[in-house]
Amino acid sequence: MRKLICIVMALALGVTAASPVFAAEKQPRIKSEVVMKMGSEVHMFHSGTADVKKEVCLKDVIPVYRETPTGGHTTSKVVGKVKVLSYEGEHYFKGKVVEGEVKVGDVAKKETAACLIQPAR
């Protein structure tokens, strides 16, 4: 009798393990992008080094680039311009979009300095 119960339990466990797991139907992912248009305020993250602070000045208008991977390399294209309004701590500038549309992750570049664009909070 014990052998029969062990065999039935092993068989039940085997059937359960071998059966496909029915998961809830996958919902389509909704990708949301924060797009900052002309007039929107942004935070520009930078390294905080003296070089960046020396090169980027208040009221500078800096072009913003979007980098997209194509094939085996990355291409950059200008998508807008940002004006530097003020300093926000050690690693941020506060800016305003003055031309085009920028997204989170775009990069404002001036000579050797670069800042990562993020929405203002």
Side-chain angles (χ1 to χ4, degrees):
M1 186 69 168
R2 277 191 147 200
K3 278 189 171 181
L4 182 64
I5 292 175
C6 287
I7 292 172
V8 169
M9 294 278 287
L11 186 61
L13 183 62
V15 169
T16 304
S19 65
V21 177
F22 294 101
E25 185 177 323
K26 287 188 177 180
Q27 298 293 326
R29 265 196 177 171
I30 299 173
K31 291 185 179 181
S32 62
E33 291 183 337
V34 177
V35 177
M36 295 153 282
K37 299 180 181 185
M38 200 163 79
S40 300
E41 287 192 355
V42 295
H43 282 152
M44 300 160 50
F45 177 77
H46 60 85
S47 64
T49 61
D51 295 342
V52 174
K53 291 179 180 178
K54 190 186 305 181
E55 191 165 325
V56 178
C57 301
L58 296 179
K59 298 185 181 177
D60 279 352
V61 177
I62 303 172
V64 178
Y65 296 88
R66 183 165 303 135
E67 297 179 352
T68 52
T70 53
H73 62 285
T74 304
T75 58
S76 296
K77 74 174 193 177
V78 177
V79 292
K81 291 184 180 179
V82 175
K83 182 177 183 178
V84 179
L85 300 177
S86 65
Y87 299 103
E88 293 282 321
E90 288 187 37
H91 296 283
Y92 287 94
F93 295 119
K94 189 175 198 173
K96 184 177 186 179
V97 180
V98 293
E99 185 179 308
E101 293 182 350
V102 299
K103 295 181 182 178
V104 175
D106 289 347
V107 179
K109 293 182 187 177
K110 181 181 179 190
E111 313 259 338
T112 60
C115 300
L116 187 64
I117 301 293
Q118 298 176 343
R121 296 175 191 187

